[in-house]
Amino acid sequence: MTLPLHLSDEVKAACDAGTPIVALESTIITHGMPFPQNVETARAVEAVVRTNGAVPATIAVLDGNLHIGLNDAQLDALGQAKGVAKLSRADMAACIATGGTGATTVAATMIAAHLAGISVFATGGIGGVHRGAETSFDISADLRELSKTPVTVVAAGAKAILDLPKTLEVLETLGVPVIAYGQDSFPAFWSRNSDLAAPLRMDSPDQIAASAITRARMGLEGGQLIANPIPESAEIPREAITPVIEEALAAAEADGISAKGVTPYLLDRIFHATEGASLAANIALVKNNAQLASQIARSMSEA
Ligand code: PSU
């Protein structure tokens, strides 16, 4: 039995021609944004990748097949489907083996991208150490994946609903390079800055590509996290978003939300509390990340 890996025609052609490819995840579509903005955003993000000289590969498991690149109909169906699994390293193979359908998180998308030979991936914000993790032990599998799988992940930092200092500590322990793009501070998803310094800073896609290539030559396993701040015009200032996050966290606790349910619950709650402003910011930051990821992929393919 071989792995049911399906490359879209566009991705297949790009692989053959050596055109740079940028992987995109699907949990942001099924669990991160409401319909129809989720599908509109997925298409807009793919368009940003194409405009920037690369080919987009949105990744998902559909009826037991691991798809690298979705067509219009597949994207549309996934964006409206109910009860889609949220896949990570632990359950991705089980979903494929049992003919299931699931959206890929950052961890699962990294695994799939690597299987398809894609080394750059754009998303919104990675999962990380949840607040209260000292008692709940809720730490996203995204962090360990970054330490194992050689894919450069472009995100607007980690979502500000998380415990950012602990997230950075775990990434350091795991040996993951955390590189802020064009600034010293670690970005906080909806806001450009946190009060934390990023461990590393780079100012050009070429430096980021060279860093990934150097790690590979050194035989260092794992990828790198590129923390790309949200564009200034789209950011929600920290003073404005902080009380909203606190309220959402308190509601999640009162409602007994845990494990994989936490992040989608909080994002939805914050969306309603900000009357959609958090979603507009999220869309802007994903597009911005897709642009940088495309530039990095181009630089890697020219190296
Ligand atoms: N980026 C977004 N929205 C999202 C995600 C990323 O802008 O919803 C998803 C990613 O798939 C990431 C997941 O892996 O959130 C993290 O979930 P958790 O905290 O349960 O590990």
Side-chain angles (χ1 to χ4, degrees):
M1 199 183 98
T2 54
L3 188 67
L5 189 69
H6 290 264
L7 273 58
S8 69
D9 291 344
E10 189 186 15
V11 171
K12 216 178 290 163
C15 287
D16 293 345
T19 311
I21 304 175
V22 172
L24 301 167
E25 60 148 305
S26 45
T27 294
I28 189 168
I29 301 173
T30 54
H31 294 72
M33 293 184 186
F35 179 80
Q37 289 97 331
N38 57 353
V39 175
E40 286 162 16
T41 303
R43 291 220 170 89
V45 170
E46 289 197 344
V48 169
V49 173
R50 291 192 187 97
T51 307
N52 285 278
V55 164
T58 302
I59 292 173
V61 176
L62 305 178
D63 301 321
N65 294 305
L66 177 52
H67 286 268
I68 313 291
L70 301 183
N71 65 32
D72 260 9
Q74 289 167 332
L75 201 60
D76 223 57
L78 190 66
Q80 297 179 69
K82 299 268 175 275
V84 176
K86 177 179 164 186
L87 302 176
S88 191
R89 170 174 278 264
D91 45 13
M92 188 180 193
C95 182
I96 294 169
T98 56
T101 289
T104 53
T105 58
V106 167
T109 307
M110 289 180 75
I111 293 168
H114 182 51
L115 279 171
I118 303 170
S119 16
V120 185
F121 159 30
T123 182
I126 61 158
V129 180
H130 280 271
R131 299 189 201 189
E134 57 275 26
T135 51
S136 70
F137 277 52
D138 188 349
I139 301 176
S140 174
D142 292 352
L143 301 185
R144 187 165 167 277
E145 205 58 52
L146 279 160
S147 75
K148 284 186 72 77
T149 303
V151 173
T152 291
V153 179
V154 184
K159 295 188 202 76
I161 53 179
L162 300 165
D163 186 323
L164 296 185
K166 288 196 182 72
T167 299
L168 285 178
E169 284 298 339
V170 171
L171 286 166
E172 188 194 4
T173 303
L174 293 172
V176 176
V178 177
I179 302 167
Y181 186 62
Q183 67 178 31
D184 294 325
S185 139
F186 184 63
F189 199 69
W190 296 287
S191 319
R192 283 176 69 79
N193 293 293
S194 64
D195 47 17
L196 303 162
L200 296 163
R201 169 186 175 152
M202 288 187 186
D203 295 297
S204 75
D206 286 350
Q207 289 178 334
I208 296 166
S211 168
I213 291 164
T214 303
R215 281 180 64 85
R217 287 192 183 135
M218 292 173 73
L220 295 174
E221 61 177 359
Q224 30 182 32
L225 174 62
I226 310 308
N228 187 28
I230 182 171
E232 223 167 308
S233 56
E235 83 162 327
I236 305 180
R238 257 202 304 158
E239 317 77 75
I241 198 76
T242 301
V244 179
I245 294 172
E246 306 282 340
E247 190 280 330
L249 286 163
E253 189 164 347
D255 285 353
I257 311 294
S258 64
K260 286 187 183 209
V262 175
T263 296
Y265 177 95
L266 293 174
L267 291 179
D268 182 60
R269 187 109 193 164
I270 294 167
F271 166 72
H272 289 289
T274 59
E275 293 167 356
S278 65
L279 179 60
N282 198 345
I283 293 169
L285 67 85
V286 182
K287 288 185 187 167
N288 190 46
N289 294 340
Q291 179 174 353
L292 178 58
S294 306
Q295 292 164 350
I296 297 167
R298 273 177 28 215
S299 179
M300 276 186 193
S301 72
E302 284 157 13

